[in-house]
Amino acid sequence: QVQLVESGGGLVQAGGSLRLSCAASGRTFSNYVMGWFRQAPGKGREFVVADSWTGSTAYADSVKGRFTISRDTAKNTVDLQMNSLKPPDTAVYYCAAYYGTGILRHENAYVYWGQGIQVTVSS
């Protein structure tokens, strides 16, 4: 059974940092695109960042320069380092994955999803 489990969320003040981690199990995700999405209250789910096993990455403009995705293929994990956090970053963050090489930003492309984890940034 494929599972993605997020950890590391919580409450942080504006300007602070958090590191989210996504642990994948049930298969090797070395040939998968791994991504992070987020959903703020009352809004739809939006793309944050994704990493292809080919080495390419893509970031939403809103997080570029502040967030960094990293993957550990041996451990089957993908992390999201979030710096200079702002109140608009408050959302439930989801780890997601699909088999492929090219990075797609639409949530419909992603087959596997974690349960989500809350990130709250206070002003």
Side-chain angles (χ1 to χ4, degrees):
Q1 182 180 359
V2 175
Q3 271 195 315
L4 300 178
V5 179
E6 302 96 340
S7 61
L11 173 66
V12 65
Q13 287 189 328
S17 298
L18 277 177
R19 188 176 184 89
L20 304 183
S21 185
C22 173
S25 62
R27 68 176 63 224
T28 300
F29 282 79
S30 55
N31 291 336
Y32 283 67
V33 172
M34 304 291 295
W36 289 91
F37 285 75
R38 66 187 182 185
Q39 186 166 19
K43 296 187 177 181
R45 194 175 296 183
E46 67 169 350
F47 173 83
V48 177
V49 60
D51 175 84
S52 171
W53 62 273
T54 61
S56 61
T57 58
Y59 290 86
D61 288 343
S62 60
V63 306
K64 203 172 293 183
R66 300 187 297 122
F67 290 13
T68 304
I69 190 171
S70 60
R71 180 199 297 235
D72 188 326
T73 303
K75 294 182 179 179
N76 235 15
T77 59
V78 59
D79 290 354
L80 180 63
Q81 178 66 41
M82 305 185 294
N83 298 327
S84 302
L85 282 161
K86 306 173 183 179
D89 294 319
T90 295
V92 176
Y93 282 71
Y94 297 88
C95 177
Y98 66 89
Y99 181 85
T101 55
I103 292 176
L104 300 174
R105 298 175 180 241
H106 200 283
E107 61 179 308
N108 288 347
Y110 292 75
V111 175
Y112 302 108
W113 289 85
Q115 80 286 356
I117 192 163
Q118 179 70 45
V119 171
T120 303
V121 184
S122 63
S123 57

